Amino acid sequence: PTKLVLHELVEEKARASRSPEDEVLEDAPVVPTSANQYEKNKLVMMFRSGMGCIFHSYSLDNGNEWSLPEVSDMVNPNSKIDVLRLSTGHLAMVFNNHPRSLMSCNKCRTHLHLAMSDNDGIVWKLVAQIEDEERDGVRVHYPYMVERDGKLL
């Protein structure tokens, strides 16, 4: 896969690919969240984007170079997401699970959901709905997770 240094990826608004054939979607600015190690020297990073979905990228050299971001199957209105590697080895992600605009709710950030991945962010499964209120102006966003004594807080 094509490699870029992470800061170049963000500063140059890296072109994002959707498939193994590197079908280019469009110039898509992506905002990194946090890197999580999944094997020695191997990292995965999730990104929010202005395209209404979450992207992921991988590094095989402890973060020196990164693959081009690829589209995940999770929607997001370009709001902060938090990803945490749990003691079980799974990834947990909390995020606003809706497109940028909701027909039923003006200027909302809602549908705060929790998803888990057992394959380093390739496939996610929704496991909890934390907040789903829909009314104009509701803003439930900027989540943060901590694991303590095997429990996700």
Side-chain angles (χ1 to χ4, degrees):
T2 305
K3 299 291 180 180
L4 293 175
V5 176
L6 181 60
H7 72 272
E8 291 173 359
L9 214 155
V10 176
E11 288 175 9
E12 295 177 9
K13 299 180 180 177
R15 297 179 66 90
S17 63
R18 177 198 323 255
S19 67
E21 296 80 41
D22 288 334
E23 175 189 343
V24 174
L25 297 175
E26 61 181 84
D27 286 333
V30 292
V31 180
T33 57
S34 60
N36 287 272
Q37 187 169 357
Y38 63 96
E39 288 180 22
K40 185 176 181 179
N41 298 323
K42 295 182 180 180
L43 305 169
V44 58
M45 182 168 306
M46 305 303 292
F47 299 82
R48 68 186 198 172
S49 77
M51 292 182 58
C53 58
I54 296 172
F55 287 76
H56 59 267
S57 177
Y58 295 91
S59 172
L60 303 177
D61 60 5
N62 210 32
N64 291 315
E65 294 182 317
W66 292 85
S67 64
L68 286 173
E70 295 181 27
V71 176
S72 77
D73 58 353
M74 307 306 278
V75 297
N76 179 266
N78 196 18
S79 62
K80 182 184 179 295
I81 60 178
D82 191 34
V83 180
L84 180 66
R85 168 94 39 210
L86 302 176
S87 58
T88 61
H90 293 85
L91 285 177
M93 178 171 61
V94 62
F95 65 107
N96 294 100
N97 187 19
H98 63 82
R100 189 161 189 88
S101 62
L102 290 172
M103 297 304 245
S104 60
C105 191
N106 186 29
K107 295 185 179 180
C108 292
R109 281 197 179 164
T110 183
H111 298 286
L112 191 64
H113 292 176
L114 176 68
M116 302 289 281
S117 174
D118 62 3
N119 60 4
D120 301 311
I122 296 170
V123 176
W124 293 91
K125 179 182 178 186
L126 290 174
V127 296
Q129 298 172 344
I130 300 165
E131 176 64 58
D132 275 333
E133 182 178 1
E134 285 190 27
R135 64 178 166 77
D136 285 353
V138 68
R139 311 281 285 184
V140 182
H141 54 148
Y142 290 92
Y144 183 76
M145 295 181 292
V146 175
E147 183 181 26
R148 183 180 300 158
D149 299 326
K151 295 183 181 177
L152 193 57
L153 308 174

